Amino acid sequence: NHEFGKCIQGLTPEAAEALRAYRWPGNVRELQNVVERSVVLVDGPMIGVDDLPLELSLGAAGTAETDTLPLNEASDRFERQIVLRTLDLNDAQVAAFTPIYDAYQAEMKVLMERGSAVLDKFAANFGSMTDEAAKEILKEALKIRDDRNATMRKYAKKLERELPAVKVLQWVQVENKLNTLLDMQAAAVIPIAQ
């Protein structure tokens, strides 16, 4: 407290539970670093779960149940945490944002499934790609990219009716960063057509 010029009264119950539930691979030194970092970053008198590093707060969101979540559901929760944490919305904004965001995620999931189908077609034709197959794959891949941009544009307009423009811009930026990460991962494992 005194070292950082703060008057921290303690941890919220959720933050305390997140600290208890975490496995602490770095032992006591890691715990000390997390507490010091949280003290520096916290604005109020209590350290909350949102003041903890993302990996701890994600564990607190589901603690025991997160260990058994299917990968896609765990990924969705992780993405939601990143988006909500970045936007720093108040309660009314969260209430307005969440149904729109859920609808956006549902549409994006359909686009991801279409993308998986294109990858399946690519894999089935790999090594013996004909011009006709290449044209079909290219057409669908570019259509998916266009649809992804159109979906983001559509939901940005919906969010503009509910949130300040700065928050909508932040959301678009976060989504673009997350999509870029997914694109980079895919690009790293998908070979050039043969």
Side-chain angles (χ1 to χ4, degrees), residues 68-168:
T68 59
L69 286 177
L71 181 59
N72 60 347
E73 191 174 335
S75 175
D76 290 348
R77 283 190 184 189
F78 179 70
E79 185 173 334
R80 176 183 290 270
Q81 280 286 342
I82 290 171
V83 169
L84 288 174
R85 204 168 211 192
T86 302
L87 297 184
D88 192 28
L89 303 172
N90 64 36
D91 290 344
Q93 290 170 331
V94 168
F97 173 80
T98 302
I100 296 169
Y101 181 72
D102 289 345
Y104 166 79
Q105 286 294 84
E107 284 193 37
M108 290 302 286
K109 193 168 285 198
V110 170
L111 291 174
M112 295 291 276
E113 289 167 4
R114 282 176 49 202
S116 290
V118 169
L119 286 177
D120 289 345
K121 185 178 251 184
F122 177 83
N125 287 282
F126 189 75
S128 61
M129 187 73 65
T130 64
D131 281 345
E132 190 59 37
K135 285 179 186 177
E136 287 179 33
I137 291 168
L138 180 60
K139 181 180 176 182
E140 182 60 14
L142 292 175
K143 176 78 171 112
I144 291 168
R145 186 165 296 277
D146 290 345
D147 290 350
R148 189 165 82 174
N149 289 334
T151 301
M152 184 175 287
R153 200 174 300 110
K154 171 181 152 183
Y155 282 94
K157 285 180 182 177
K158 289 182 180 202
L159 288 171
E160 284 174 340
R161 290 184 229 129
E162 304 292 336
L163 299 176
V166 171
K167 298 295 184 185
V168 177

Side-chain angles (χ1 to χ4, degrees), residues 49-65:
V49 73
D50 288 337
D51 301 310
L52 299 174
L54 192 57
E55 63 271 13
L56 270 77
S57 62
L58 284 174
T63 45
E65 84 180 57

